Amino acid sequence: MSSGKINVAVENIFPLIKKFLYSDHEIFLRELISNATDATLKLKHLTNIGEAKVEYGNPKIEIKVDKKNKTLHVIDQGLGMTSDEVNKYINEVAFSGAEEFINQYKDSAKDSGIIGHFGLGFYSAFMVAEKVEIITKSHTEAPACYWSCDGSPEYSLVKHDKTTHGTEIILHIDKDSDEFLEETRIKSLLTKYNKFMPIPIKFGTKEETQEEGEGEDKKEIKKTVDNIINNPNPAWTKKPSNLKDEEYKSFYRELYPMQFEEPLFHIHLNVDYPFNLTGILYFPKLNNDINIQKDRIQLYQNQVFVTDNVEGIVPEFLTMLRGIIDSPDIPLNVSRSYLQSDGAVKKISNYITKKVADKLQSIFKKDRKNLEQKWNDIKVVIEYGMLSEDKFFDKAKKFNLFPTTTGSYLTIDELKLQTKDAQTDKDGKLIQLYAANVDEQHPYIEAAKVKGYTVLLLDSPIVGHLLQKLEQEDDKIGFVRVDSDHIDKLIAKDEPQICKLSDEQKEALKPMIENVVPKEQYTVQLEVMNSEAAPFMITQPEFMRRMKEMQQTGGGGMFSGGFPDMYQLVVNVNHPLVSQILETKTKKKKERLIKQSLDLARLSQSLLKGEELTAFIQRSYEMIK
Ligand code: ADP
Ligand code: MG
């Protein structure tokens, strides 16, 4: 037996790097600018701690396209490299100088924002270039050097006459990558990946009008200035206490230039223990939109754009929000499914959930009117969160608002208090009425109002699921839609009323009506009600309707076959019209009365459509003629 080291032949690895290092070739530019940024931040750190003698100044990074010579240049004014360092950091693939630097200056450089990590970024240049050159001069006394490599593992390293510290990387762009010689392509890459990087990035120049001189001599002159494409100090990197509301809004516009609507709320994320995470999340206007777009939150690492797919990092319900998250601690070199089981990522996701809940809680406490005004635009996120995250549910239960048909907003605790005696059933359980649409359920809402009951207005597409969950949590409350039965039956508290009909009359009435009413759609139910209540009324049991709705928005469970449209036709036996029907002599006239009443009941539930509606209208005109 023997043991030893696996021998990796560089000749074989190099073509692999070229092809497979990253699936997205365009990220080479992000990698090179990251290195240039690192080199600049390292120099900043060294000058700060007195280990570099040069002037730090106001360094920038410059990107240049030379179409004629088919080259792309990335130029920095960072710490540069000696020829020994080129040997160490460049010629040794997968040796990360960034990691070494962080380790060397452990405590002081922890927060320096250095990006590099795996020691592979530089080689991504070979994905798009047939030849790469480096001209670099260290910030120390050491002379400058020139390195070049044409993609075969052989390189050359010689002296160079560059006198200022810093590095220039020159890519000789491959024929099949010549898109990267187009200024517009480079510009769009810079805005995608580097828009918020910490060192100013110059790409070309632009004309700017400036005022010069005083009074009479004042004139406007045109000047050519550097075109800086990034904002090195984006809002999320600042302290929340130093930011005004307007600055959050203007950062939103910077992130989403095509978005004209203002965000409703923002949440500034800022932790450094046990993981590092900053960012700003915004609540956009959502109305009842539950079609989640998962590409609205952007993920950054040390101000470098990484991805706009935050699935697995941010809990699903929050992917409806917008904004950015910046964390160097999210492992991205692993698959998404692994990500979700990663302990650190789980913590990050929990933290974000908590922050969102806390923010809403504090608006509820300090500025409730504001929350109420915006409630309809954000409620789907909150309902979705309450359904999917138990921790969020526990917190949100306190500030989740229930709008009423009269325009007020109540929490569940307030509902319980307000309706303690009035709206309970025989067993003291709170029966909370709600409507989904004020216009469609108007007659039912009116009937409830007459009784003095509070009716909620719940129109979100997933609210059924939430009601279900709230009822499971607390058996002292039940939600029923105003049209799920007649009002006296729903609250079922009133003493049974006196019935004006005899038992025989009632027995005769039922088959009479059933004869006219389509059996497969309606079950007839005789009820003893006030004579002022409607004579005929169509209702649909809460349970049935809710299950059907829940099925449409996912879940709902046990009934997968779909529900038939079954309704109840509630007949108020105390209504004079019902007596009239009984007293009517001819069968034909009787049936006409029943049919007309049924259609009126259907009309008030928007159930009368098509041919039947036309027939009803014609019939009605005949009657009044
Ligand atoms: P990483 O950035 O992960 O360390 P890279 O392959 O991107 O790995 O770069 C390797 C090393 O080469 C860097 O850590 C750094 O030491 C050195 N290097 C690359 N680009 C520059 C540059 N522009 N200026 C100074 N050093 C650089
Ligand atoms: Mg790098």
Short mmCIF file of all heavy atoms in Angstrom, two decimals, residues 31 34-35 38 116-117 121-122, ligand 2:
data_model
loop_
_atom_site.label_atom_id
_atom_site.label_comp_id
_atom_site.label_asym_id
_atom_site.label_seq_id
_atom_site.Cartn_x
_atom_site.Cartn_y
_atom_site.Cartn_z
N GLU A 31 -15.16 40.19 -11.52
CA GLU A 31 -14.02 39.64 -10.80
C GLU A 31 -12.81 40.56 -10.86
O GLU A 31 -12.13 40.80 -9.87
CB GLU A 31 -13.65 38.25 -11.35
CG GLU A 31 -14.67 37.18 -11.02
CD GLU A 31 -14.87 36.98 -9.52
OE1 GLU A 31 -13.87 36.99 -8.78
OE2 GLU A 31 -16.04 36.84 -9.08
N SER A 34 -13.47 43.59 -8.85
CA SER A 34 -13.36 43.22 -7.44
C SER A 34 -11.91 43.19 -6.99
O SER A 34 -11.56 43.67 -5.91
CB SER A 34 -13.99 41.85 -7.19
OG SER A 34 -15.37 41.89 -7.44
N ASN A 35 -11.05 42.63 -7.83
CA ASN A 35 -9.62 42.61 -7.49
C ASN A 35 -9.04 44.02 -7.40
O ASN A 35 -8.25 44.32 -6.50
CB ASN A 35 -8.84 41.79 -8.52
CG ASN A 35 -9.04 40.29 -8.33
OD1 ASN A 35 -9.59 39.86 -7.32
ND2 ASN A 35 -8.61 39.51 -9.31
N ASP A 38 -10.28 45.46 -4.22
CA ASP A 38 -9.52 44.88 -3.11
C ASP A 38 -8.15 45.53 -2.99
O ASP A 38 -7.70 45.90 -1.90
CB ASP A 38 -9.33 43.37 -3.31
CG ASP A 38 -10.57 42.57 -2.88
OD1 ASP A 38 -11.51 43.20 -2.36
OD2 ASP A 38 -10.58 41.35 -3.08
N GLY A 116 -12.36 39.32 -2.40
CA GLY A 116 -11.79 38.06 -2.89
C GLY A 116 -11.88 36.94 -1.87
O GLY A 116 -12.03 37.16 -0.68
N HIS A 117 -11.79 35.73 -2.37
CA HIS A 117 -12.01 34.63 -1.45
C HIS A 117 -11.34 33.34 -1.90
O HIS A 117 -10.55 32.74 -1.18
CB HIS A 117 -13.50 34.42 -1.29
CG HIS A 117 -13.85 33.54 -0.12
ND1 HIS A 117 -13.14 33.56 1.06
CD2 HIS A 117 -14.83 32.63 0.05
CE1 HIS A 117 -13.66 32.69 1.90
NE2 HIS A 117 -14.69 32.11 1.32
N GLY A 121 -10.74 34.14 -9.12
CA GLY A 121 -11.35 35.22 -9.87
C GLY A 121 -10.52 35.71 -11.03
O GLY A 121 -11.02 35.89 -12.15
N PHE A 122 -9.24 35.91 -10.81
CA PHE A 122 -8.38 36.46 -11.85
C PHE A 122 -8.42 35.61 -13.11
O PHE A 122 -8.47 36.13 -14.23
CB PHE A 122 -6.94 36.59 -11.33
CG PHE A 122 -5.98 36.96 -12.42
CD1 PHE A 122 -5.95 38.25 -12.92
CD2 PHE A 122 -5.14 36.00 -12.98
CE1 PHE A 122 -5.10 38.59 -13.96
CE2 PHE A 122 -4.28 36.34 -14.02
CZ PHE A 122 -4.26 37.63 -14.50
MG MG B 2 -10.63 38.16 -6.76
#
